[in-house]
Structure formats: C-alpha cells, structure tokens
Amino acid sequence: MDFTLPKKFEGLRQMISFLGRDRLRPLGLEADQMGHALSRDHPFFTEVLEMGLTGGFAGKMGSPRADDDGRVRKTVRRAVVMAEEAAYWDRGMATSLPGPGLGGAPIMMMGTPEQKERFLNPFKEKDRPRWAGFGMTEPGAGSDVARIQTRISFQGDEIVVSGQKCFISNGARAEFITVWGTEDPALGRAGHRAVIVPQDTPGFSVVGVEHKMGLNASETATLSFEDCRVPMANLLTPRGASGEGFKGAMKTLNMTRPIVAGMAVGIGRAAYDECSRFANENFTGPSAWRAGRVADRLARIRRKLDMARLLAWKSAWEADHKLPNQLSAAIAKATAAPLALEATSLGIEILGLAGGASDHLIEKLYRDVKALDIVEGTGQIQRVIIARQLIGYTDERGKNQGESHG
Ligand SMILES: Cc1cc2nc3c(=O)[nH]c(=O)nc-3n(C[C@H](O)[C@H](O)[C@H](O)COP(=O)(O)OP(=O)(O)OC[C@H]3O[C@@H](n4cnc5c(N)ncnc54)[C@H](O)[C@@H]3O)c2cc1C
C-alpha cells in the first residue's frame, strides 16, 4: 500500500481545505446557530457547483464521472481523504454538499448502465444543485434491518412502494431516494429489494425534518411513501433473487464505512488542533506547569488519530483493490468514531470553562461527533461484525443481527 497521495488527490484536498476555511466552517457554525440546514437554494450550493466540487466528493463514493472514465478503482481511498478534510472543517456541511452521496452509491455499485445514465448523469449538470438519499432506516428498524416493513410489490410493469423512512440524510431535498423495502417481511433479509423512487412520484411526501443535537448543517428527514408507483426499470435488485437486496446494502456500507471513519478522524483532528492552539496560547507563564501534562494527553490522541486514519486507508485500499473489506471497514469505523469522541471530550476538559461555552467550536465538535458512532451501523453493530468474523460469534437473535446497516 502506497501512503503518498497522487498529485491530483493532493490538489483536490487543498481545494477542499481552502473551501473549508472560507465557507464550510463559517456556514456550518451559521447552520448550528439557526438549528437547521441551509436552504437548498442557498447561493453556496451554486458556488460549489461552479467550482466543480459536485458528485459527493466529500461525502461518499466520488463522482459518477469517475465511473464513466473507468476510474472506479481507487475512488474509496480518495473519498476517505477528501471526507477527512471536509469533516475537519464541518462534517454537517460536508454531507450536505450537492451530489448523489450515499443515495447514489448503491446505483454505482449495483445499477445497470441505463440506471447510471438516468439517475447519476444529471449530477454532472451545473444548472442547479442536486442531492439523493439512502432510505433504509424506519421507526422500528434501525440496526436490525431484517425488520424493515416498507413493502415493495409488483403490479404489471410497475413497482409499488409503501412505508415510512426516518433519519434520511438530505431526504427532503433529494431528487430520488434509494428505498430499501421487502417483498415479504416474513422472509427477513431474503425479501429485501432496493428501488429508486424519484421525489416527484405521486404518494411521496416529506413528513418532517428532525431536530438533532449536532450536525445541524445536515438535514435528516422522515419520508412517507404511499403507494408510490415507479417503473420496473427503477428496480436495483433482481426480482426473486433471494438476499440480493440485503447483500447490496452491505456491499454499499463496506465502501462507505471507511469514509465515515475518515470523517471521524477529521473531526478528531479539528478538536486536536483547537486544543493545541489553546494550550500554546494559554499554558505559559504561571500556567506553564500545565503544558507538559496536556502535551502528553494531546500526543496520545494524536497517535490514536493517526492509527485510525491508517485503518480507514487500509480498508479503502482493500475496497479499491476489490478485496473483501467487511472486517477492516468495521474495525476502522469502530475505532475512529470513539477516538474522535475522545478527542472532542479531551478538548472540553483542556479548555475548561471556555470549552463548555456554547460559542466555542469545541463544544459544537463534541455535539457533532456522536452521530458518527451511530450512522451506517452503530459502534455496537461494528463490534458484533468484528466478533462474528474473528471468532464466529452470533448473538442470541441469530443471523439477522450484526450485519445490519445503521
Ligand atoms: C445524523 C444521522 C444521519 C442518518 N442518515 C441516515 C440515512 O441517510 N439513511 C438511513 O437509512 N439511515 C440514516 N440514519 C439512521 C441510522 O443509520 C440509525 O440511527 C442507526 O442504524 C441505528 O438505528 P436506531 O437509531 O434505530 O437504533 P437501534 O437499532 O434501535 O439501536 C439502539 C441501541 O441498541 C444497540 N444495538 C442494536 N442491536 C444490537 C445488537 N445486535 N448488539 C448490540 N447492540 C445492539 C445499538 O448499537 C444502539 O446503541 C442516520 C442517523 C443519524 C443520527
């Protein structure tokens, strides 16, 4: 594995860094103060389109253009690097950038050329910002995806989708949602199918947008599908193919979990930098005695963050080389998210009163970071996957647990 970044990666990372300092961080703070995401017609989203920073570069799988160019390989590593940089400045803003993001990832991985053309190619256009959503979680089915109740039935040439999804990132502004449903809930994961539902489909509605403790720049929505009819050409997983829908969801998450780990490292690095700056500025003169102890704690965090980054890169490298990476993706995510939480928590402690004040960045980072241990499979679920892969552990509820989405 080569640790050097190709020149074009480095150029893009620097571009994100400039964008981050000038726009992502200030706009993320603004959204946090407002308590909700920027509106979809905010000029910033047009600005990033004009800069060519579309396609979910910081979010997930790289742009669809990369797919067309035959550069599908090595996109996960690139996405991990860019995700870390964008999350360093503001993770909520990083996920809200226009692009297909997680909603486009299953199409990129499982879609036909016609589906890629129809659903992903429009993201190359610069006429207006576009988003997509990944609709798996339901009020009664988060970790245990075998319990999803959204029904997918087939009537003539049409697919009918009925159900409710919650916590869907960019869901209220998405062009389409990749909806995970079941042909028959009694079949568990064997009955799962994925269907692309455009937002203008009759029966689709946004029930509401959640209020979260952090990541306010990233909108998460509850969505309702009432007898939504879409053409058979929108089916992502073959009809009757047992378990294909579930496998497709897991494959997608094996690609995206290293990216979430990269984002966690980005937030952890931001906390580390804030602490270092504070310590340098404040632990001098009569407070100098504190500097040594704080330096030791900061160094420990720095070592751990470097380790988490390497785990994310290794998993991405495996994905890019088409090697099985389920275990490494779970290890990377299970390691990086708690470490980033530890880094922000240390920041609050070291900054003392300043750290607890609601107008300090470290306080926002502390609220933002927790979600990374929840999204795309909670920390517990990652540990179940690791235990199962390493020692063949299964919990008492059997196979439907542990490989869950999140
Ligand atoms: C900011 C944010 C964005 C999100 N975006 C999306 C999105 O775009 N699309 C989408 O589909 N979903 C999304 N989600 C939903 C997210 O994936 C779920 O919250 C997650 O899967 C956990 O599900 P749950 O909240 O229902 O918790 P539950 O599954 O109810 O879990 C509750 C607790 O029990 C633990 N637990 C559950 N099962 C086990 C087990 N077998 N062993 C040990 N512990 C267990 C969990 O780890 C957790 O601590 C998002 C969530 C957040 C917070």
Side-chain angles (χ1 to χ4, degrees):
M1 184 178 160
D2 183 358
F3 293 101
T4 53
L5 286 185
K7 268 192 185 156
K8 58 186 172 198
F9 277 29
E10 183 50 27
L12 183 58
R13 196 193 60 75
Q14 281 179 16
M15 202 171 161
I16 294 169
S17 179
F18 291 132
L19 182 77
R21 185 178 298 112
D22 288 352
R23 305 294 273 145
L24 299 182
R25 171 92 34 102
L27 288 170
L29 288 166
E30 187 183 319
D32 192 57
Q33 274 160 16
M34 293 189 304
H36 59 80
L38 306 183
S39 70
R40 76 185 79 180
D41 50 8
H42 192 285
F44 169 71
F45 295 128
T46 314
E47 271 173 48
V48 285
L49 268 189
E50 281 161 9
M51 291 169 75
L53 287 177
T54 59
F57 70 91
K60 304 294 166 187
M61 297 291 293
S63 73
R65 200 181 300 275
D67 196 15
D68 292 342
D69 289 345
R71 288 188 284 119
V72 178
R73 288 160 69 95
K74 302 194 173 46
T75 54
V76 183
R77 164 98 185 282
R78 181 185 65 175
V80 170
V81 172
M82 304 315 153
E84 178 187 328
E85 192 59 35
Y88 175 86
W89 296 105
D90 196 278
R91 195 276 182 177
M93 285 302 298
T95 334
S96 74
L97 288 172
L102 190 55
I107 304 178
M108 205 133 33
M109 298 197 51
M110 301 187 289
T112 61
E114 186 276 329
Q115 286 170 333
K116 288 179 186 170
E117 163 84 32
R118 195 154 47 102
F119 293 106
L120 297 181
N121 276 3
F123 285 90
K124 295 174 187 173
E125 304 300 330
K126 294 194 174 177
D127 55 328
R128 62 183 166 83
R130 292 173 170 83
W131 292 265
F134 179 97
M136 174 75 87
T137 304
E138 298 180 5
S143 301
D144 192 355
V145 294
R147 294 172 59 188
I148 55 177
Q149 298 294 316
T150 293
R151 290 303 288 265
I152 290 188
S153 50
F154 299 95
Q155 291 181 12
D157 287 347
E158 288 183 324
I159 311 166
V160 184
V161 181
S162 301
Q164 201 174 75
K165 297 287 176 185
C166 59
F167 269 94
I168 309 306
S169 300
N170 295 322
R173 59 187 65 190
E175 298 282 310
F176 63 80
I177 308 290
T178 306
V179 180
W180 303 84
T182 175
E183 268 188 82
D184 178 358
L187 293 175
R189 59 194 194 186
H192 289 190
R193 302 281 170 266
V195 178
I196 305 158
V197 180
Q199 55 85 27
D200 57 0
T201 307
F204 171 79
S205 61
V206 177
V207 178
V209 171
E210 344 283 349
H211 291 284
K212 305 192 293 298
M213 63 184 266
L215 296 183
N216 286 307
S218 170
E219 162 203 271
T220 41
T222 298
L223 308 173
S224 169
F225 303 84
E226 275 183 46
D227 290 334
C228 287
R229 288 173 180 273
V230 296
M232 200 61 83
N234 287 20
L235 186 65
L236 263 182
T237 44
R239 198 175 162 182
S242 174
E244 286 306 308
F246 181 81
K247 279 187 211 152
M250 295 310 115
K251 266 194 201 162
T252 305
L253 295 170
N254 291 341
M255 301 297 123
T256 58
R257 282 175 181 155
I259 299 170
V260 177
M263 287 181 168
V265 174
I267 300 183
R269 188 159 60 88
Y272 167 86
D273 280 358
E274 279 299 300
C275 282
S276 305
R277 191 168 24 250
F278 184 88
N280 277 326
E281 284 170 6
N282 292 280
F283 299 154
T284 55
S287 299
W289 62 272
R290 295 192 194 178
R293 289 187 183 182
V294 164
D296 178 53
R297 296 178 81 190
L298 280 170
R300 279 186 208 197
I301 282 291
R302 174 61 196 265
R303 290 202 304 269
K304 290 179 182 179
L305 289 171
D306 283 0
M307 173 187 77
R309 180 187 295 114
L310 289 178
L311 290 172
W313 282 20
K314 174 177 180 279
S315 186
W317 182 87
E318 287 174 359
D320 285 338
H321 288 80
K322 306 213 180 307
L323 297 168
N325 77 324
Q326 189 191 34
L327 176 62
S328 63
I331 291 176
K333 188 171 182 296
T335 305
L339 281 185
L341 187 57
E342 193 183 329
T344 58
S345 176
L346 177 68
I348 300 266
E349 283 176 33
I350 289 178
L351 268 69
L353 289 177
S358 62
D359 60 351
H360 201 285
L361 177 68
I362 201 86
E363 185 268 348
K364 176 179 173 295
L365 294 173
Y366 187 72
R367 285 185 286 109
D368 282 353
V369 78
K370 181 61 192 165
L372 297 190
D373 203 32
I374 299 174
V375 297
E376 298 181 36
T378 65
Q380 286 85 354
I381 291 302
Q382 305 310 315
R383 288 187 280 280
V384 171
I385 294 171
I386 295 165
R388 175 178 292 167
Q389 291 240 344
L390 292 180
I391 54 172
Y393 160 84
T394 53
D395 76 6
E396 71 279 6
R397 282 193 284 166
K399 282 191 167 179
N400 283 339
Q401 283 283 312
E403 282 176 296
S404 338
H405 132 62

